[in-house]
Amino acid sequence: MNPESDPSAPPEALQQDTLDSSVFRETLEQADIAVSITDGDATILYVNPAFTRITGYAAEDAIGRNQSLLSNKTTPRTVYTSLWRKISTGQPWAGRLVNRRRDGTPYLADLAITPVRNADGVTVNYLGMHRDITILHELECQVRNQKALIESVVDTAPVLIALLDANRRVVLDNHAYKKLMADLGMQEPAQQILAAAGLEPTAKIEEEPGEFIFQDREVCLERGGWGAPRWFSCSLVSVEEDDATADAFFVRQRRRYLLLTAIEITNLRAEQEKSRMAALRAVLAEAERIDGLRESLSAAIYQLEGPINVISSAVAMLARRSQSEPMAHALADAVAAGQAALENLRSEIPPARFEEREAVSVNELLRDVLELSTRSLLAAGIVVNWAPASRLPSLVGYPNRLRAMFKALVDNALEAMNVKGWRERELNLSTRATRSGIEVVIEDSGPGIPAELRLRVFEPFFSTKKGGGRHLGTGLSAAQQTANDHGGLIEIDDAVGHGCRIRLSFPLRNSEGGLA
Ligand code: FAD
């Protein structure tokens, strides 16, 4: 093809075969990289001005000497051996050597050597090109050192650290995080923490870099099996980094990550829990004392009211027969004295405890009760099966009264089974979200309540226990009162084969609808 007719052909002046060799020379002379041309034994034949600038050797000092004049004698011999192995077989070599300038100062050279062959394919010369990369290397080292330092700090920190990408995959983590992962049976802790903190997997992160999505949120990780739950205080912050890909070199692009940090607070929680339990125990003991007093006085009033009413009727009868009946006067005096005593007793009944209504988690209340009763349950050899609903609406009510009610029901179950010679000792506790609200079932494997007495047990002062039991027979009636005050129902399930199954239901209209 005629080159003139080819529009893609280079202009005449730039065609290689017409380029003057002086152009090549000028190019080398002006190149801003140290260039040397040697013979086959590395004896220098030519150096350019940049070579002189970098090494301090003028052309007349360098020409005729071996390239080894640049050696600082600290580059390992193996490097030279592999350099020569390559170039002497006609292949180019590139690498880093420690060089020494004419003034004795060392520098790091980034060198590329290309064998130059003659028309027969025999290597006759070598072309060397090198740059001083001392500063670059120092910067690289600083970055590497800093990275290593940060990594060792991050790794030895007692805080769990994980960096998550946009798909919530862990792209970087530390030793503490890996250890927790092993403890969790190689399940990714990050996903569990985010779920426990209430962050849906698909939730969009709107927070700007540096902003917390959540901070110091306490979450509980259940280990399943026999492992006790572990508590962590967690924070999630949005972070960004520059995109390092080539197409982001001029147009700055940023990548969004989530930095998750967590500190284990299981021991702290255990301490807090211990204090909370001690406080709860005190509150419950005081409540039991007051309730006991109220019950005892009410029982005494109830017991006295009967005979006084009988005597009152007798007085009325005698009075109808004769106004002057001396017995009538004496009995009337007795009735008046009795009623005065009753009034005195009524005034001694301590007022019911005042409590604010609030949103409560029934699961937590029952957990408290189990915790408070652990010692007695263990001492009685009772096996507890606790099956809380994983999601339960919260109930608006009186937490202390509800807790006392559940405690009384658990105590009843415990007492029923803790009888000498009774073998079956199992307590089942469960919660469930129903269509209409919340259901709690407390089931024991004790002797149960005979069918004919299942309604009467809710009457005040009725008891199946010999001597009236601890609560003088008001336990279930008080529980019924508490359930009613929460708009709920308490019933004894007839369906159970043996033992006693108490079912409590609380309607949703009385709940907040939040999930506990
Ligand atoms: P040397 O005895 O020179 O070499 C060490 C090893 O290299 C020997 O054991 C041998 O196996 C091998 N070797 C040496 N010469 C030859 C050869 N002619 N053929 C086959 N194998 C051989 N060195 C630097 O330190 N800094 C530089 O900037 C540098 N630039 C170079 C540029 C070019 C174009 C070339 C060709 C070489 C360059 N060299 C450079 C390498 C240099 O020639 C020396 O090999 C090196 O400096 C080591 O010198 P020495 O006296 O310690 O050991």
Side-chain angles (χ1 to χ4, degrees), residues 36-43 51 66-73 75 77 80-85 87-88 97-99 107 109 111-114 126-130:
S36 58
I37 298 171
T38 72
D39 65 11
D41 293 323
T43 304
F51 182 98
N66 192 281
Q67 280 275 176
S68 64
L69 94 154
L70 294 181
S71 173
N72 189 51
K73 309 291 179 209
T75 300
R77 189 135 295 268
Y80 295 127
T81 315
S82 79
L83 175 160
W84 278 106
R85 195 180 300 128
I87 62 173
S88 58
L97 303 174
V98 185
N99 276 1
Y107 70 95
L111 169 70
I113 303 176
T114 309
Y126 292 111
L127 168 70
M129 292 188 285
H130 81 265

mmCIF file of all heavy atoms in Angstrom, residues 36-43 51 66-73 75 77 80-85 87-88 97-99 107 109 111-114 126-130, ligand 1:
data_model
loop_
_atom_site.group_PDB
_atom_site.id
_atom_site.type_symbol
_atom_site.label_atom_id
_atom_site.label_comp_id
_atom_site.label_asym_id
_atom_site.label_seq_id
_atom_site.Cartn_x
_atom_site.Cartn_y
_atom_site.Cartn_z
ATOM 1 N N SER A 36 23.095 4.433 31.371
ATOM 2 C CA SER A 36 24.482 4.036 31.070
ATOM 3 C C SER A 36 24.429 2.918 30.036
ATOM 4 O O SER A 36 23.488 2.114 30.044
ATOM 5 C CB SER A 36 25.205 3.583 32.343
ATOM 6 O OG SER A 36 24.503 2.508 32.943
ATOM 7 N N ILE A 37 25.421 2.933 29.152
ATOM 8 C CA ILE A 37 25.529 1.846 28.173
ATOM 9 C C ILE A 37 26.886 1.201 28.418
ATOM 10 O O ILE A 37 27.905 1.903 28.584
ATOM 11 C CB ILE A 37 25.416 2.378 26.727
ATOM 12 C CG1 ILE A 37 24.031 3.036 26.526
ATOM 13 C CG2 ILE A 37 25.611 1.248 25.714
ATOM 14 C CD1 ILE A 37 23.864 3.785 25.210
ATOM 15 N N THR A 38 26.864 -0.147 28.540
ATOM 16 C CA THR A 38 28.112 -0.859 28.842
ATOM 17 C C THR A 38 28.397 -1.888 27.750
ATOM 18 O O THR A 38 27.530 -2.162 26.917
ATOM 19 C CB THR A 38 28.011 -1.614 30.189
ATOM 20 O OG1 THR A 38 27.147 -2.727 30.008
ATOM 21 C CG2 THR A 38 27.497 -0.734 31.304
ATOM 22 N N ASP A 39 29.594 -2.443 27.835
ATOM 23 C CA ASP A 39 29.871 -3.597 26.967
ATOM 24 C C ASP A 39 29.378 -4.858 27.671
ATOM 25 O O ASP A 39 28.732 -4.767 28.738
ATOM 26 C CB ASP A 39 31.366 -3.670 26.612
ATOM 27 C CG ASP A 39 32.245 -3.941 27.832
ATOM 28 O OD1 ASP A 39 31.668 -4.275 28.897
ATOM 29 O OD2 ASP A 39 33.479 -3.833 27.725
ATOM 30 N N GLY A 40 29.691 -5.998 27.175
ATOM 31 C CA GLY A 40 29.208 -7.270 27.730
ATOM 32 C C GLY A 40 29.741 -7.581 29.111
ATOM 33 O O GLY A 40 29.180 -8.423 29.822
ATOM 34 N N ASP A 41 30.842 -6.871 29.555
ATOM 35 C CA ASP A 41 31.362 -7.115 30.902
ATOM 36 C C ASP A 41 30.985 -5.999 31.873
ATOM 37 O O ASP A 41 31.573 -5.892 32.949
ATOM 38 C CB ASP A 41 32.893 -7.221 30.852
ATOM 39 C CG ASP A 41 33.332 -8.455 30.082
ATOM 40 O OD1 ASP A 41 32.622 -9.483 30.225
ATOM 41 O OD2 ASP A 41 34.326 -8.380 29.351
ATOM 42 N N ALA A 42 30.053 -5.155 31.480
ATOM 43 C CA ALA A 42 29.561 -4.048 32.322
ATOM 44 C C ALA A 42 30.570 -2.917 32.423
ATOM 45 O O ALA A 42 30.517 -2.107 33.351
ATOM 46 C CB ALA A 42 29.135 -4.536 33.704
ATOM 47 N N THR A 43 31.491 -2.858 31.437
ATOM 48 C CA THR A 43 32.399 -1.711 31.407
ATOM 49 C C THR A 43 31.656 -0.553 30.746
ATOM 50 O O THR A 43 31.054 -0.712 29.670
ATOM 51 C CB THR A 43 33.674 -2.044 30.605
ATOM 52 O OG1 THR A 43 34.253 -3.208 31.195
ATOM 53 C CG2 THR A 43 34.669 -0.904 30.620
ATOM 54 N N PHE A 51 22.839 10.668 34.883
ATOM 55 C CA PHE A 51 23.686 9.703 35.597
ATOM 56 C C PHE A 51 24.665 10.479 36.481
ATOM 57 O O PHE A 51 24.858 10.175 37.653
ATOM 58 C CB PHE A 51 24.426 8.819 34.576
ATOM 59 C CG PHE A 51 25.306 7.750 35.170
ATOM 60 C CD1 PHE A 51 24.857 6.435 35.288
ATOM 61 C CD2 PHE A 51 26.601 8.045 35.616
ATOM 62 C CE1 PHE A 51 25.676 5.450 35.826
ATOM 63 C CE2 PHE A 51 27.414 7.063 36.171
ATOM 64 C CZ PHE A 51 26.948 5.759 36.273
ATOM 65 N N ASN A 66 34.039 -0.301 35.485
ATOM 66 C CA ASN A 66 32.906 -1.232 35.581
ATOM 67 C C ASN A 66 31.752 -0.594 36.356
ATOM 68 O O ASN A 66 31.974 0.251 37.224
ATOM 69 C CB ASN A 66 33.350 -2.523 36.281
ATOM 70 C CG ASN A 66 32.304 -3.619 36.144
ATOM 71 O OD1 ASN A 66 31.307 -3.614 36.858
ATOM 72 N ND2 ASN A 66 32.531 -4.535 35.204
ATOM 73 N N GLN A 67 30.560 -1.024 36.010
ATOM 74 C CA GLN A 67 29.369 -0.505 36.709
ATOM 75 C C GLN A 67 29.461 -0.761 38.211
ATOM 76 O O GLN A 67 28.802 -0.084 38.996
ATOM 77 C CB GLN A 67 28.095 -1.179 36.169
ATOM 78 C CG GLN A 67 27.597 -0.585 34.871
ATOM 79 C CD GLN A 67 26.715 0.633 35.061
ATOM 80 O OE1 GLN A 67 26.313 1.238 34.086
ATOM 81 N NE2 GLN A 67 26.447 1.051 36.284
ATOM 82 N N SER A 68 30.309 -1.712 38.612
ATOM 83 C CA SER A 68 30.422 -2.031 40.035
ATOM 84 C C SER A 68 30.987 -0.861 40.833
ATOM 85 O O SER A 68 30.975 -0.886 42.054
ATOM 86 C CB SER A 68 31.284 -3.273 40.220
ATOM 87 O OG SER A 68 32.592 -3.007 39.775
ATOM 88 N N LEU A 69 31.441 0.186 40.117
ATOM 89 C CA LEU A 69 31.940 1.351 40.864
ATOM 90 C C LEU A 69 30.821 2.004 41.658
ATOM 91 O O LEU A 69 31.063 2.744 42.602
ATOM 92 C CB LEU A 69 32.619 2.371 39.920
ATOM 93 C CG LEU A 69 31.814 3.528 39.348
ATOM 94 C CD1 LEU A 69 32.742 4.691 39.033
ATOM 95 C CD2 LEU A 69 31.071 3.110 38.112
ATOM 96 N N LEU A 70 29.555 1.676 41.259
ATOM 97 C CA LEU A 70 28.418 2.248 41.987
ATOM 98 C C LEU A 70 28.018 1.408 43.191
ATOM 99 O O LEU A 70 27.229 1.830 44.018
ATOM 100 C CB LEU A 70 27.204 2.376 41.049
ATOM 101 C CG LEU A 70 27.355 3.373 39.891
ATOM 102 C CD1 LEU A 70 26.056 3.413 39.075
ATOM 103 C CD2 LEU A 70 27.656 4.780 40.415
ATOM 104 N N SER A 71 28.594 0.189 43.263
ATOM 105 C CA SER A 71 28.135 -0.716 44.326
ATOM 106 C C SER A 71 28.514 -0.203 45.712
ATOM 107 O O SER A 71 29.647 0.227 45.941
ATOM 108 C CB SER A 71 28.727 -2.107 44.114
ATOM 109 O OG SER A 71 28.400 -2.915 45.217
ATOM 110 N N ASN A 72 27.566 -0.252 46.632
ATOM 111 C CA ASN A 72 27.822 0.144 48.030
ATOM 112 C C ASN A 72 28.356 -1.041 48.828
ATOM 113 O O ASN A 72 28.624 -0.929 50.011
ATOM 114 C CB ASN A 72 26.519 0.643 48.655
ATOM 115 C CG ASN A 72 26.713 1.263 50.014
ATOM 116 O OD1 ASN A 72 27.564 2.140 50.182
ATOM 117 N ND2 ASN A 72 25.944 0.802 50.996
ATOM 118 N N LYS A 73 28.486 -2.180 48.154
ATOM 119 C CA LYS A 73 28.973 -3.437 48.753
ATOM 120 C C LYS A 73 28.038 -3.948 49.856
ATOM 121 O O LYS A 73 28.466 -4.674 50.750
ATOM 122 C CB LYS A 73 30.393 -3.284 49.343
ATOM 123 C CG LYS A 73 31.408 -2.670 48.398
ATOM 124 C CD LYS A 73 31.765 -3.584 47.247
ATOM 125 C CE LYS A 73 32.769 -2.931 46.299
ATOM 126 N NZ LYS A 73 32.666 -3.398 44.915
ATOM 127 N N THR A 75 24.651 -4.780 48.827
ATOM 128 C CA THR A 75 23.615 -5.561 48.141
ATOM 129 C C THR A 75 24.015 -7.033 48.208
ATOM 130 O O THR A 75 25.174 -7.367 47.906
ATOM 131 C CB THR A 75 23.498 -5.107 46.668
ATOM 132 O OG1 THR A 75 23.153 -3.729 46.641
ATOM 133 C CG2 THR A 75 22.456 -5.907 45.906
ATOM 134 N N ARG A 77 25.010 -10.727 47.446
ATOM 135 C CA ARG A 77 25.641 -11.298 46.238
ATOM 136 C C ARG A 77 24.604 -12.033 45.388
ATOM 137 O O ARG A 77 24.661 -12.017 44.158
ATOM 138 C CB ARG A 77 26.765 -12.248 46.685
ATOM 139 C CG ARG A 77 27.664 -12.777 45.611
ATOM 140 C CD ARG A 77 29.125 -12.717 46.013
ATOM 141 N NE ARG A 77 29.603 -11.344 46.174
ATOM 142 C CZ ARG A 77 30.169 -10.637 45.188
ATOM 143 N NH1 ARG A 77 30.367 -11.167 44.020
ATOM 144 N NH2 ARG A 77 30.575 -9.401 45.384
ATOM 145 N N TYR A 80 23.082 -9.938 42.685
ATOM 146 C CA TYR A 80 23.909 -9.783 41.472
ATOM 147 C C TYR A 80 23.921 -11.068 40.639
ATOM 148 O O TYR A 80 23.894 -11.032 39.418
ATOM 149 C CB TYR A 80 25.352 -9.408 41.854
ATOM 150 C CG TYR A 80 25.470 -8.053 42.523
ATOM 151 C CD1 TYR A 80 26.116 -7.895 43.746
ATOM 152 C CD2 TYR A 80 24.940 -6.912 41.903
ATOM 153 C CE1 TYR A 80 26.219 -6.656 44.342
ATOM 154 C CE2 TYR A 80 25.034 -5.669 42.513
ATOM 155 C CZ TYR A 80 25.670 -5.544 43.723
ATOM 156 O OH TYR A 80 25.773 -4.324 44.306
ATOM 157 N N THR A 81 23.997 -12.196 41.337
ATOM 158 C CA THR A 81 24.039 -13.478 40.605
ATOM 159 C C THR A 81 22.783 -13.622 39.764
ATOM 160 O O THR A 81 22.846 -13.983 38.577
ATOM 161 C CB THR A 81 24.160 -14.653 41.606
ATOM 162 O OG1 THR A 81 25.146 -14.313 42.568
ATOM 163 C CG2 THR A 81 24.533 -15.942 40.916
ATOM 164 N N SER A 82 21.606 -13.303 40.384
ATOM 165 C CA SER A 82 20.366 -13.489 39.612
ATOM 166 C C SER A 82 20.245 -12.432 38.512
ATOM 167 O O SER A 82 19.728 -12.702 37.424
ATOM 168 C CB SER A 82 19.140 -13.496 40.530
ATOM 169 O OG SER A 82 18.781 -12.198 40.883
ATOM 170 N N LEU A 83 20.813 -11.208 38.793
ATOM 171 C CA LEU A 83 20.834 -10.136 37.763
ATOM 172 C C LEU A 83 21.608 -10.627 36.527
ATOM 173 O O LEU A 83 21.108 -10.578 35.399
ATOM 174 C CB LEU A 83 21.474 -8.892 38.378
ATOM 175 C CG LEU A 83 21.777 -7.630 37.590
ATOM 176 C CD1 LEU A 83 21.930 -6.468 38.552
ATOM 177 C CD2 LEU A 83 22.985 -7.683 36.676
ATOM 178 N N TRP A 84 22.786 -11.144 36.801
ATOM 179 C CA TRP A 84 23.647 -11.576 35.686
ATOM 180 C C TRP A 84 23.089 -12.798 34.967
ATOM 181 O O TRP A 84 23.206 -12.916 33.750
ATOM 182 C CB TRP A 84 25.080 -11.837 36.175
ATOM 183 C CG TRP A 84 25.865 -10.545 36.267
ATOM 184 C CD1 TRP A 84 26.220 -9.876 37.380
ATOM 185 C CD2 TRP A 84 26.330 -9.776 35.151
ATOM 186 N NE1 TRP A 84 26.884 -8.723 37.074
ATOM 187 C CE2 TRP A 84 26.982 -8.621 35.699
ATOM 188 C CE3 TRP A 84 26.278 -9.894 33.760
ATOM 189 C CZ2 TRP A 84 27.557 -7.641 34.912
ATOM 190 C CZ3 TRP A 84 26.874 -8.909 32.985
ATOM 191 C CH2 TRP A 84 27.484 -7.803 33.554
ATOM 192 N N ARG A 85 22.416 -13.692 35.816
ATOM 193 C CA ARG A 85 21.832 -14.892 35.187
ATOM 194 C C ARG A 85 20.812 -14.466 34.132
ATOM 195 O O ARG A 85 20.722 -15.034 33.057
ATOM 196 C CB ARG A 85 21.176 -15.767 36.260
ATOM 197 C CG ARG A 85 20.883 -17.182 35.742
ATOM 198 C CD ARG A 85 20.237 -18.061 36.801
ATOM 199 N NE ARG A 85 21.053 -18.222 37.986
ATOM 200 C CZ ARG A 85 20.601 -17.997 39.227
ATOM 201 N NH1 ARG A 85 19.358 -17.603 39.418
ATOM 202 N NH2 ARG A 85 21.387 -18.154 40.261
ATOM 203 N N ILE A 87 20.465 -11.251 32.576
ATOM 204 C CA ILE A 87 20.910 -10.446 31.431
ATOM 205 C C ILE A 87 21.874 -11.213 30.523
ATOM 206 O O ILE A 87 21.907 -10.994 29.315
ATOM 207 C CB ILE A 87 21.504 -9.081 31.866
ATOM 208 C CG1 ILE A 87 22.752 -9.243 32.747
ATOM 209 C CG2 ILE A 87 20.464 -8.227 32.568
ATOM 210 C CD1 ILE A 87 23.449 -7.903 33.056
ATOM 211 N N SER A 88 22.652 -12.154 31.114
ATOM 212 C CA SER A 88 23.599 -12.885 30.254
ATOM 213 C C SER A 88 22.885 -13.908 29.371
ATOM 214 O O SER A 88 23.478 -14.450 28.446
ATOM 215 C CB SER A 88 24.693 -13.549 31.097
ATOM 216 O OG SER A 88 24.092 -14.422 32.020
ATOM 217 N N LEU A 97 18.994 -1.883 43.973
ATOM 218 C CA LEU A 97 20.356 -2.108 44.465
ATOM 219 C C LEU A 97 20.748 -0.943 45.367
ATOM 220 O O LEU A 97 20.273 0.185 45.176
ATOM 221 C CB LEU A 97 21.346 -2.156 43.291
ATOM 222 C CG LEU A 97 21.099 -3.196 42.191
ATOM 223 C CD1 LEU A 97 22.112 -2.987 41.052
ATOM 224 C CD2 LEU A 97 21.243 -4.611 42.732
ATOM 225 N N VAL A 98 21.638 -1.270 46.345
ATOM 226 C CA VAL A 98 22.136 -0.167 47.187
ATOM 227 C C VAL A 98 23.401 0.359 46.525
ATOM 228 O O VAL A 98 24.392 -0.363 46.391
ATOM 229 C CB VAL A 98 22.430 -0.625 48.628
ATOM 230 C CG1 VAL A 98 22.823 0.578 49.494
ATOM 231 C CG2 VAL A 98 21.233 -1.338 49.222
ATOM 232 N N ASN A 99 23.348 1.608 46.081
ATOM 233 C CA ASN A 99 24.474 2.241 45.381
ATOM 234 C C ASN A 99 25.164 3.264 46.270
ATOM 235 O O ASN A 99 24.605 3.707 47.281
ATOM 236 C CB ASN A 99 23.976 2.937 44.106
ATOM 237 C CG ASN A 99 23.869 1.960 42.940
ATOM 238 O OD1 ASN A 99 24.151 0.778 43.105
ATOM 239 N ND2 ASN A 99 23.473 2.454 41.776
ATOM 240 N N TYR A 107 22.634 5.418 48.283
ATOM 241 C CA TYR A 107 21.250 5.681 47.848
ATOM 242 C C TYR A 107 20.675 4.401 47.275
ATOM 243 O O TYR A 107 21.410 3.464 46.924
ATOM 244 C CB TYR A 107 21.197 6.839 46.826
ATOM 245 C CG TYR A 107 21.778 6.535 45.474
ATOM 246 C CD1 TYR A 107 20.967 6.114 44.408
ATOM 247 C CD2 TYR A 107 23.145 6.687 45.231
ATOM 248 C CE1 TYR A 107 21.500 5.849 43.155
ATOM 249 C CE2 TYR A 107 23.693 6.405 43.980
ATOM 250 C CZ TYR A 107 22.861 5.983 42.943
ATOM 251 O OH TYR A 107 23.393 5.695 41.718
ATOM 252 N N ALA A 109 18.875 2.489 44.362
ATOM 253 C CA ALA A 109 18.642 2.652 42.918
ATOM 254 C C ALA A 109 17.573 1.668 42.442
ATOM 255 O O ALA A 109 17.607 0.490 42.787
ATOM 256 C CB ALA A 109 19.945 2.393 42.174
ATOM 257 N N LEU A 111 16.692 0.022 39.314
ATOM 258 C CA LEU A 111 17.462 -0.175 38.078
ATOM 259 C C LEU A 111 16.786 -1.151 37.124
ATOM 260 O O LEU A 111 16.227 -2.162 37.550
ATOM 261 C CB LEU A 111 18.865 -0.707 38.474
ATOM 262 C CG LEU A 111 19.779 -1.226 37.377
ATOM 263 C CD1 LEU A 111 20.275 -0.073 36.498
ATOM 264 C CD2 LEU A 111 20.994 -1.942 37.989
ATOM 265 N N ALA A 112 16.851 -0.790 35.839
ATOM 266 C CA ALA A 112 16.367 -1.724 34.808
ATOM 267 C C ALA A 112 17.510 -1.923 33.815
ATOM 268 O O ALA A 112 18.103 -0.940 33.342
ATOM 269 C CB ALA A 112 15.145 -1.154 34.116
ATOM 270 N N ILE A 113 17.880 -3.168 33.515
ATOM 271 C CA ILE A 113 18.963 -3.459 32.561
ATOM 272 C C ILE A 113 18.384 -4.214 31.374
ATOM 273 O O ILE A 113 17.658 -5.202 31.555
ATOM 274 C CB ILE A 113 20.093 -4.297 33.202
ATOM 275 C CG1 ILE A 113 20.658 -3.566 34.442
ATOM 276 C CG2 ILE A 113 21.209 -4.570 32.207
ATOM 277 C CD1 ILE A 113 21.719 -4.352 35.194
ATOM 278 N N THR A 114 18.672 -3.688 30.192
ATOM 279 C CA THR A 114 18.184 -4.356 28.974
ATOM 280 C C THR A 114 19.381 -4.783 28.120
ATOM 281 O O THR A 114 20.238 -3.944 27.798
ATOM 282 C CB THR A 114 17.325 -3.374 28.139
ATOM 283 O OG1 THR A 114 16.356 -2.801 29.003
ATOM 284 C CG2 THR A 114 16.630 -4.074 26.972
ATOM 285 N N TYR A 126 24.887 -3.547 27.181
ATOM 286 C CA TYR A 126 23.747 -3.490 28.117
ATOM 287 C C TYR A 126 23.347 -2.045 28.288
ATOM 288 O O TYR A 126 24.218 -1.161 28.367
ATOM 289 C CB TYR A 126 24.117 -4.075 29.486
ATOM 290 C CG TYR A 126 24.371 -5.572 29.456
ATOM 291 C CD1 TYR A 126 25.659 -6.072 29.658
ATOM 292 C CD2 TYR A 126 23.324 -6.460 29.224
ATOM 293 C CE1 TYR A 126 25.906 -7.442 29.635
ATOM 294 C CE2 TYR A 126 23.569 -7.839 29.193
ATOM 295 C CZ TYR A 126 24.840 -8.323 29.402
ATOM 296 O OH TYR A 126 25.078 -9.652 29.367
ATOM 297 N N LEU A 127 22.034 -1.841 28.351
ATOM 298 C CA LEU A 127 21.507 -0.501 28.617
ATOM 299 C C LEU A 127 20.982 -0.497 30.050
ATOM 300 O O LEU A 127 20.113 -1.300 30.404
ATOM 301 C CB LEU A 127 20.352 -0.195 27.635
ATOM 302 C CG LEU A 127 19.502 1.029 27.954
ATOM 303 C CD1 LEU A 127 20.286 2.325 27.728
ATOM 304 C CD2 LEU A 127 18.244 1.044 27.094
ATOM 305 N N GLY A 128 21.567 0.399 30.858
ATOM 306 C CA GLY A 128 21.105 0.498 32.256
ATOM 307 C C GLY A 128 20.387 1.809 32.475
ATOM 308 O O GLY A 128 20.841 2.865 32.031
ATOM 309 N N MET A 129 19.250 1.766 33.146
ATOM 310 C CA MET A 129 18.515 3.000 33.469
ATOM 311 C C MET A 129 18.126 2.911 34.935
ATOM 312 O O MET A 129 17.543 1.902 35.361
ATOM 313 C CB MET A 129 17.265 3.106 32.603
ATOM 314 C CG MET A 129 17.607 3.345 31.133
ATOM 315 S SD MET A 129 16.158 3.698 30.166
ATOM 316 C CE MET A 129 15.424 2.123 30.031
ATOM 317 N N HIS A 130 18.506 3.956 35.694
ATOM 318 C CA HIS A 130 18.110 3.896 37.102
ATOM 319 C C HIS A 130 17.708 5.256 37.670
ATOM 320 O O HIS A 130 18.074 6.305 37.159
ATOM 321 C CB HIS A 130 19.206 3.199 37.928
ATOM 322 C CG HIS A 130 20.361 4.035 38.331
ATOM 323 N ND1 HIS A 130 21.549 4.095 37.628
ATOM 324 C CD2 HIS A 130 20.552 4.829 39.410
ATOM 325 C CE1 HIS A 130 22.411 4.885 38.239
ATOM 326 N NE2 HIS A 130 21.816 5.345 39.326
HETATM 327 P P1 FAD B 1 31.109 -8.961 40.477
HETATM 328 O O1 FAD B 1 32.195 -9.929 40.502
HETATM 329 O O2 FAD B 1 31.208 -7.885 39.487
HETATM 330 O O3 FAD B 1 29.709 -9.642 40.239
HETATM 331 C C1 FAD B 1 28.979 -10.464 41.173
HETATM 332 C C2 FAD B 1 28.427 -11.652 40.457
HETATM 333 O O4 FAD B 1 27.853 -11.263 39.198
HETATM 334 C C3 FAD B 1 29.508 -12.682 40.114
HETATM 335 O O5 FAD B 1 29.527 -13.664 41.125
HETATM 336 C C4 FAD B 1 29.101 -13.222 38.804
HETATM 337 O O6 FAD B 1 28.348 -14.420 38.934
HETATM 338 C C5 FAD B 1 28.194 -12.178 38.195
HETATM 339 N N1 FAD B 1 28.889 -11.492 37.075
HETATM 340 C C6 FAD B 1 29.636 -10.386 37.152
HETATM 341 N N2 FAD B 1 30.028 -10.031 35.949
HETATM 342 C C7 FAD B 1 29.545 -10.917 35.088
HETATM 343 C C8 FAD B 1 29.606 -11.095 33.702
HETATM 344 N N3 FAD B 1 30.282 -10.221 32.901
HETATM 345 N N4 FAD B 1 28.966 -12.115 33.120
HETATM 346 C C9 FAD B 1 28.298 -13.002 33.893
HETATM 347 N N5 FAD B 1 28.186 -12.890 35.221
HETATM 348 C C10 FAD B 1 28.807 -11.866 35.803
HETATM 349 N N6 FAD B 1 25.904 -2.925 40.110
HETATM 350 C C11 FAD B 1 25.649 -2.063 41.133
HETATM 351 O O7 FAD B 1 26.040 -2.352 42.275
HETATM 352 N N7 FAD B 1 25.033 -0.867 40.898
HETATM 353 C C12 FAD B 1 24.620 -0.491 39.640
HETATM 354 O O8 FAD B 1 24.043 0.567 39.497
HETATM 355 C C13 FAD B 1 24.840 -1.381 38.579
HETATM 356 N N8 FAD B 1 24.446 -1.070 37.319
HETATM 357 C C14 FAD B 1 24.714 -1.963 36.299
HETATM 358 C C15 FAD B 1 24.331 -1.595 35.007
HETATM 359 C C16 FAD B 1 24.572 -2.464 33.928
HETATM 360 C C17 FAD B 1 24.186 -2.065 32.528
HETATM 361 C C18 FAD B 1 25.206 -3.691 34.182
HETATM 362 C C19 FAD B 1 25.458 -4.643 33.020
HETATM 363 C C20 FAD B 1 25.605 -4.058 35.470
HETATM 364 C C21 FAD B 1 25.365 -3.203 36.533
HETATM 365 N N9 FAD B 1 25.747 -3.526 37.827
HETATM 366 C C22 FAD B 1 25.495 -2.645 38.871
HETATM 367 C C23 FAD B 1 26.362 -4.823 38.162
HETATM 368 C C24 FAD B 1 27.853 -4.685 38.270
HETATM 369 O O9 FAD B 1 28.379 -4.840 37.002
HETATM 370 C C25 FAD B 1 28.453 -5.705 39.212
HETATM 371 O O10 FAD B 1 28.139 -6.990 38.789
HETATM 372 C C26 FAD B 1 27.980 -5.490 40.666
HETATM 373 O O11 FAD B 1 28.167 -4.184 41.014
HETATM 374 C C27 FAD B 1 28.761 -6.383 41.612
HETATM 375 O O12 FAD B 1 30.108 -6.085 41.586
HETATM 376 P P2 FAD B 1 31.201 -6.913 42.358
HETATM 377 O O13 FAD B 1 32.472 -6.376 42.007
HETATM 378 O O14 FAD B 1 30.813 -6.873 43.831
HETATM 379 O O15 FAD B 1 30.974 -8.393 41.904
#
